[in-house]
Amino acid sequence: MGESDLMVLSTGDKIKTVRSHEQLAPKRLYWERRVARRARKAKQNGTTLTEAENYQRAKEQRARIYQKEKNQRQDRLHKLTTKLVRDFDVIVLEDLQTANLMKNHQLARSIAAQFWREIRSQLAYKCVKYGKELIVVNPYKTSQICSSCGFDDGKHALDIREWDCPNCHAHHDRDVNAAKNILSIGLGQTLVKPA
Ligand SMILES: [Zn+2]
């Protein structure tokens, strides 16, 4: 899970953050401003907001845009999680609580957290439905350990997107390397699970 990428897979695939809200942003801003302006007008005229029809109409338009954005987001996430569950038998996710996105700035963090919860719950029920396995792991040190040789390179600052392992000289994309580590932690957990 990241800021520019919604999801990075251990296969190297990167899925871009859902930007549907940006597509509709001009419309949303337009109606948000209208709502605010009409609320001010109503106040100046001494009309209550429930009586102010202009205001109510703008509010409905705004709600319609919000709903549209939500639908687009849901649709995109559903397509993504269905594809993941169809393509893979075991899916390992990093636990949000300790994920790197917590270090990002507030807004991105709360949006990412919303997506995260949605993705996780969709994966959970779709895995049950399709007979696949979902494992959630603590991503501790997964950004600093070399997925090729296991060498611990120490903390990498968030702006370091690629690095070379000083031990085995493997070149890593930060997120893909972390995803590989997350996968192997998850697979390790399934191996030690009592039958
Ligand atoms: Zn290495």
Side-chain angles (χ1 to χ4, degrees):
M1 291 286 296
E3 205 170 340
S4 61
D5 297 305
L6 175 64
M7 196 181 268
V8 175
L9 308 188
S10 56
T11 55
D13 289 325
K14 293 182 173 185
I15 295 146
K16 286 275 157 224
T17 299
V18 185
R19 292 289 188 206
S20 60
H21 54 288
E22 279 184 1
Q23 244 174 285
L24 286 165
K27 270 194 177 165
R28 173 166 32 80
L29 279 175
Y30 175 84
W31 286 109
E32 276 171 351
R33 283 200 201 104
R34 284 261 122 150
V35 168
R37 196 184 314 145
R38 289 178 184 179
R40 270 200 310 275
K41 273 246 168 78
K43 206 177 172 189
Q44 282 166 9
N45 300 337
T47 332
T48 64
L49 288 182
T50 17
E51 281 170 328
E53 283 177 24
N54 261 347
Y55 166 82
Q56 289 298 336
R57 265 201 303 277
K59 225 178 96 176
E60 272 167 33
Q61 288 298 328
R62 186 185 60 182
R64 210 163 286 165
I65 304 281
Y66 284 167
Q67 190 57 45
K68 216 171 175 180
E69 287 181 320
K70 203 181 161 193
N71 292 347
Q72 282 190 0
R73 220 159 40 222
Q74 285 288 93
D75 190 51
R76 169 102 201 268
L77 294 183
H78 270 297
K79 280 184 183 140
L80 168 65
T81 54
T82 298
K83 188 176 178 351
L84 288 172
V85 171
R86 287 211 170 123
D87 288 354
F88 303 106
D89 292 334
V90 179
I91 297 167
V92 185
L93 280 179
E94 63 179 325
D95 191 353
L96 176 70
Q97 299 312 315
T98 36
N100 277 332
L101 66 97
M102 301 308 272
K103 290 167 198 144
N104 295 340
H105 66 92
Q106 288 292 329
L107 182 66
R109 181 173 113 178
S110 74
I111 292 170
Q114 272 177 34
F115 285 152
W116 182 249
R117 275 191 294 274
E118 187 56 38
I119 287 169
R120 184 173 167 167
S121 79
Q122 286 183 15
L123 284 176
Y125 77 75
K126 288 178 186 180
C127 278
V128 171
K129 188 175 160 194
Y130 290 87
K132 305 295 179 79
E133 189 164 8
L134 177 69
I135 303 158
V136 180
V137 302
N138 181 341
Y140 179 61
K141 282 194 173 181
T142 46
S143 300
Q144 65 189 61
I145 286 171
C146 169
S147 59
S148 304
C149 74
F151 179 78
D152 185 345
D153 194 35
K155 269 211 158 73
H156 297 127
L158 267 180
D159 58 337
I160 295 177
R161 307 312 305 168
E162 293 176 31
W163 56 284
D164 292 310
C165 172
N167 186 49
C168 76
H169 309 293
H171 181 72
H172 292 302
D173 173 287
R174 178 201 184 95
D175 295 331
V176 174
N177 178 67
K180 285 178 179 168
N181 285 328
I182 287 163
L183 175 64
S184 59
I185 294 172
L187 292 179
Q189 285 182 8
T190 60
L191 290 177
V192 295
K193 216 163 54 179

